Amino acid sequence: MNKEFIRALDEIEKEKGIKKEEIITAVERALEKSFEENYDSTNVEISINEETGDTKVLAIKEVVENVIDPNTQISLEEALFHNKRAKIGKELKIKVTPKNFARVAAQKARNIVIQYIRDAERKVIYESYIDKEKDIINGIIQRIDYKNIYVDLGKSEGYIPEKEQVEGENFKPGDRVKLYVKEVKETSKGPQILLSRRAPEFVAKLFEIEVPEISQGTVEIMSISREAGYRTKIAVYAEDSSIDPVGACVGMKGARVNSIVEEINGEKIDIVVWSKDMKVYISNSLSPSEVVDVYIDADKKEAVAFVPDSQLSLAIGKEGQNVRLAAKLTNWKIDIKAESKMDEVLKELEELKLRESEVHEDFEETTKEVINEDSQNYTLDDINE
C-alpha cells in the first residue's frame, strides 16, 4: 500500500460515491484472511493508514508460561522483549513483516477493490432506482431485441417486455420516451428494471405530473381502467365542493389532458367524477354516453344502465369497450339496455327479485321445520352449512 493507492481511493470516492473507509476496511479484512491462509497464522490484525497507505500486520498472541501453539501464544520472556508491561493471560500485538507480503497484499488489494467497486456500484444503482419504483422515468431507446425493448436510463439499463408494450407504438434506437417503473429487482448482475408503457398506473402518474391539484392532494384519482392504445377511463374526486376535479384534469382549453393524450399517442381519455352513490358513479362511468336511469343490485354488485336508444351503441362502445372499461372502473357488472325497453326490463327484474325472495323464504321455512322435528340441537347455521 502507498500514497498512490490512497489517491486512487479518493478518486473512486468522488466519481463513484463509494466511501474510501469502506473500501479500506474491505481490503483489511481480505488481507487478514489471505495472511492466515498463506502464512499459517490464525490470529492477525491488519490496518491501513487512510492518509499514507502504510500497512501494519499485527500478530495477536496470548502471553503464557509454556508455549503450546506458537501461532496464537507467546512466552512471557519473549513478550517482555516486545512490551515491558506484558503479563501472563493478556494479549499482545506483535508487528510482523513477511518479506514478500507487499506483493501479495498489492495483488489482493487490487482484486478486492475491483470487486468491491462492482458490488458497491450495483448497490448504489439499485438504491437510486428502487426509489423510482412505481414512478415515471425518462429513457432513451437503446436497442430492440426480439420482443424486448432495452432502454438506456443513464446509470443503468431497463427493459420493456412485450406484455408491457402498447400495440401501435413503434420506437427506434435514439427515441426519448417516458416510462413507468413497474418493478426493480436486485440481482448479481445489477438491478433489473422492468418498465411499462401499458400499465394503467402510467396514465395515472402522467396526470399526477401534469395536474398540480392531484400532486397536492386536493384532487384524488379514485380509480382507473385502461385498454392501452385505445381508451382510458379515470375517476377523480375533490373533497372540496368548490373544486371541479374534471376541470382541473382537463385544464384551460384542454391543455393538461391534451399533453397526456399526446404522450400516449392519441389514446382517448374519459375523465369522470367519482361518487359514493353507485347509481351516479355508474352513470358517470359510461361517459360519453348519456344515462337515463340505473338499476342496481348492491348484494350482487350488478347494475343495468338505461340509455337513449340512439346512444345504445355509444354506451356499449366498439366491441363492448366502453361498458367493459366502465365495469373495470367501478368494479361492478354493468349491463346496457335501451330506454325504450326500460319498463319491460324493470318488470322482469322485479319479478326475478320476487322469485328469488320467495325461494329464500321457502328455504328458511323448510330449515325451521327440520330443526323442530329433529331431536338434535341443530342451528340454522348448521343446516345452511
Side-chain angles (χ1 to χ4, degrees), residues 155-181:
K155 292 182 179 180
S156 189
E157 180 184 78
Y159 75 104
I160 318 170
E162 184 183 21
K163 66 178 182 178
E164 297 299 337
Q165 297 169 27
V166 177
E167 186 179 349
E169 285 190 337
N170 296 307
F171 297 113
K172 60 183 184 298
D175 286 349
R176 293 180 177 273
V177 291
K178 282 186 172 69
L179 301 146
Y180 178 71
V181 182

Side-chain angles (χ1 to χ4, degrees), residues 210 246-261 271:
E210 197 66 37
V246 173
C249 293
V250 172
M252 189 173 291
K253 296 182 180 180
R256 292 174 177 176
V257 71
N258 286 341
S259 176
I260 296 168
V261 169
I271 307 170

